[in-house]
Structure formats: structure tokens, C-alpha cells
Amino acid sequence: MNVTEQLSSVESRLRAAPPHALPATAGALLSEGFGAREVTLLLADYGLTVLQPVTFLPHTGEPVSAHDGPAGTAFTSQKPVVEITADPATELVHLPITVRGDRLGVLSVRLPAGSSDTATVLGLGEFATALGHEVATAGRDTDVYLQARRTRRLTLAAEMQWQLLPGRGCARDEYTIGAHLEPAYAIGGDNFDWSTEADHLTVTVTDGMGQGIDASLLTGLTVSALRNARRAGIGLADQAALADQAVYAQHGGKVYASTLLLRFDLDTGAVRAVDAGSPQLYRLRGTAIERIELTAQFPLGMFEETPYEEQTFQVEPGDRLVAISSGVHGTSSAAGDLFGEHGLRQILGATRRTPPHETARAVVAGLIEHTGSKDLAADAAVLCLDWAGRGAGTAEGTAGAV
């Protein structure tokens, strides 16, 4: 059986496993194919602080850092890490699990010492990718993987917001997206969303007014209205207008949602934008950091039948865009010092060469350090996008990429 046939057989057996039984099935397959003596599936928690073993409640496995140690290094670097263990007879291979740019966690496989050659690690990497796709699918039918992502109970508002998100990352040849939300276990009204098509990418960042359940319900309505309009195939300004009408019809202008809408042309790098409220947008080009000044229009739902207009700007290969909610740029420390543009620019400059996921996390970490508390007074959303652009002849291959 060649490599392609072996991988196909593995994928078939993973698909045939009951949703909750993927870790056990993975262990059996890796034992057969690679002589694995122990297999652990670790998933990143909502706050991206730890990697937690997938076990049934009550969880018995000890979490490990998502940033330090062998497993954390595999997760942040997105590269396999071979760990020499205290047991001279074995070694641990830690493999990142990522699905279409969304970093889920790490697969740790204990092998006999000396068996982690290049071909074996590559084969394990293919297995980890296949397992990641099955975990993402199985999450629709079991709570096991969602439970493993939390170190403590989520508020109801946070539960609603996390279920509304498309993921925490997305990658294609033309771009890579990484995003982060805090407070992860008590988020209320902040949201990011995207949709990738053959020739364009649509991104939104939304900040629903208020806190808790009310903010979550408002944001849920707003995001659903935007998706409904987007899926009807209408332009960006009309998407904003229809969502505005939906929010106003429900709340009569008493509450509203600030939203930034962006639509990227994958062939040209032209970006259409609607700034409906408070989210801010920064562009890093080379060593320069500039805020993209868009004409501020009314938040969605503030007034009845508000007309919206699109603006345009251009991105070039190598550009980085960072969108932040008001919970980032409008937050003050206990002493009253605003985090603001100065603090943000320092972090963006220092993380220019790190992946988008790590930059988004670093902005939130800087905000927490500035306030002196992990319990942020307002929700904070950060979305970082690296633009590579589309080279000649890549359109067909990318449109069908998986």
C-alpha cells in the first residue's frame, strides 16, 4: 500500500469512528502504523493560555502551556517538535493540529527512541491534519472537544459568542488571518467574521453595545443579518444597510452595533470598506504603521434606514492589516492612562515578524498588562491579516484548495 492509499485508509477509519471516540481511534491507528505507545490530543483553550488533554468530564489530564515547553512551541511555531524524554526508551513528537489556518491544538505521540526520522514526522504531520479535520467536523455532534477547550465555565453570553465565530484563523495562498477575543470566558458583544470565496474575501469586526446577554443578543442579530445579506450576493454598502434595518426594527435605535466591513479583491488587492462605528484599522507596510482613516458612518441600528457608502483603499503583498474594537483602543488603566494608539503601535512594531495569531494575542496581552487586570472592563477583539496577494496563474488552483 502506497502513502496515498495509507492516508486514505486512515482518513476512512477516522471518519467511521463515533464523534467522541476520535482520540481512542487515533491512538489505535498510530499504534498500528507507527508503533506509538501513547497518544494525547490537546486542544487550545479559549484564552489561548493552555493546551488541555481531551478527556471526558471531569477532566483528569494536566494542561500544559500553549506558549512554552515542547507542546507549546509546536503550537505557536506551527512546526513539529521532538522531545527527548527522561525515559531513554521513548521520545515524544508534538505535532500542530491546524485546519485551514485555524489552530486547534497539538497531537503528542510517544514513539520508541530513535524512530522519529524525517519520513515518520512528515507522516505523523499528515495524520495530525486529517485528525484535525475530523475533530472540527465531530464538534457538531459532541460536546467533548468544546469541553476540552475551557479551563472553567463560560458565561452564557460568552457561550453564545464563541458559537457565533467562524474560528480563530483562516489561511489561503493570498492571506493569513489570526484573531483573538478577551475576556475569553466572559465575552459579550465583540465578534469577528469572515467568508472566503473564489475571487474575494469578506471580513467584519463588530462591537455590540452593552454587556452580557443583551450585548451578545444584539451582536448575534447583527452578525446574522450581515451574513444573510452577504449570502444574497449584494454589495457591501447594502449589506450594512440591511443589517442596520434589522437592528433598528428590533430595538428602535435604543442600542446599536459598531461594525467595520471589508471586502478584498483577491486578484487586485483592492479593498472596499464601510466604517459603521468604532472599530479601527491599521496597516503595516514595511516598517511604517499607519491608521487607515475611513469616513465614520453611523453604527448599525442607530437610526432608521441609514444609507451607507463604500470607500476603497489598496493592499500590497507583504502588508499587514490589524482591526481592533473599541475595547482595545478605548481602554484606560486604573490610573486613567489610555492604552490608545501609542501602546498599540509599540506592540504592532515589536510583533511585525510574528504570525498573525501571535500578533493578535500579543495586542490583547499588552492591553491586559496596561490595565493591570485580566478582568477587562470591556470586550476586546483583535483581527490581524497578512496579505500575500495572488500571483499570476494561482487563481484556479487556489479556488479549489482545501
Side-chain angles (χ1 to χ4, degrees), residues 114-135:
S115 59
S116 57
D117 56 82
T118 301
T120 297
V121 173
L122 288 174
L124 289 172
E126 293 284 350
F127 184 95
T129 297
L131 177 61
H133 280 270
E134 293 307 317
V135 167

Side-chain angles (χ1 to χ4, degrees), residues 38-342:
E38 181 184 349
V39 176
T40 305
L41 172 60
L42 303 113
L43 296 182
D45 84 305
Y46 288 106
L48 292 179
T49 58
V50 298
L51 299 168
Q52 187 148 281
V54 176
T55 58
F56 296 103
L57 290 178
H59 295 303
T60 55
E62 287 294 324
V64 299
S65 171
H67 313 293
D68 301 313
T73 300
F75 181 70
T76 56
S77 69
Q78 290 293 285
K79 296 178 181 178
V81 172
V82 179
E83 177 187 357
I84 305 302
T85 68
D87 179 3
T90 66
E91 55 195 12
L92 271 172
V93 183
H94 305 281
L95 305 126
I97 298 179
T98 302
V99 177
R100 300 182 189 276
D102 191 9
R103 304 184 305 170
L104 302 183
V106 169
L107 182 68
S108 295
V109 183
R110 187 178 296 275
L111 298 175
S115 59
S116 57
D117 56 82
T118 301
T120 297
V121 173
L122 288 174
L124 289 172
E126 293 284 350
F127 184 95
T129 297
L131 177 61
H133 280 270
E134 293 307 317
V135 167
T137 301
R140 300 179 304 188
D141 301 312
T142 178
D143 287 335
V144 168
Y145 308 106
L146 291 177
Q147 288 167 341
R149 291 182 59 191
R150 55 195 72 186
T151 59
R152 59 186 184 275
R153 185 174 178 177
L154 271 68
T155 64
L156 177 56
E159 188 84 52
M160 294 164 66
Q161 282 302 332
W162 282 108
Q163 291 300 306
L164 192 63
L165 294 173
R168 282 188 292 205
C170 180
R172 277 180 52 174
D173 290 343
E174 299 89 347
Y175 59 82
T176 301
I177 297 173
H180 193 49
L181 284 177
E182 283 287 348
Y185 290 83
I187 199 76
D190 279 14
N191 177 276
F192 45 78
D193 193 25
W194 53 73
S195 175
T196 178
E197 309 297 340
D199 58 358
H200 68 272
L201 164 71
T202 303
V203 173
T204 62
V205 177
T206 298
D207 182 355
M209 179 180 173
Q211 294 181 327
I213 292 292
D214 290 340
S216 184
L217 289 170
L218 170 60
T219 300
L221 172 62
T222 303
V223 172
S224 296
L226 287 169
R227 288 174 175 172
N228 179 254
R230 184 186 72 218
R231 292 164 185 169
I234 63 179
L236 208 64
D238 288 335
Q239 291 176 32
L242 287 177
D244 170 73
Q245 292 173 22
V247 176
Y248 186 86
Q250 183 67 27
H251 297 287
K254 296 178 181 178
V255 294
Y256 47 83
S258 299
T259 305
L260 175 67
L261 300 90
L262 304 171
R263 188 180 192 274
F264 297 78
D265 187 300
L266 300 184
D267 286 319
T268 66
V271 185
R272 298 177 180 272
V274 174
D275 180 359
S278 61
Q280 294 182 357
L281 183 64
Y282 289 81
R283 177 171 55 199
L284 287 74
R285 178 172 292 171
T287 59
I289 303 174
E290 63 174 325
R291 181 179 170 190
I292 297 179
E293 298 284 356
L294 299 169
T295 301
Q297 302 177 68
F298 291 123
L300 305 181
M302 180 175 280
F303 299 107
E304 188 173 11
E305 297 186 356
T306 301
Y308 291 92
E309 296 182 359
E310 296 179 9
Q311 295 176 262
T312 60
F313 63 92
Q314 194 76 24
V315 288
E316 299 176 358
D319 281 358
R320 167 170 286 184
L321 295 180
V322 179
I324 58 174
S325 67
S326 61
V328 178
H329 64 76
T331 295
S332 299
S333 68
D337 298 323
L338 191 67
F339 180 70
E341 189 166 328
H342 177 69

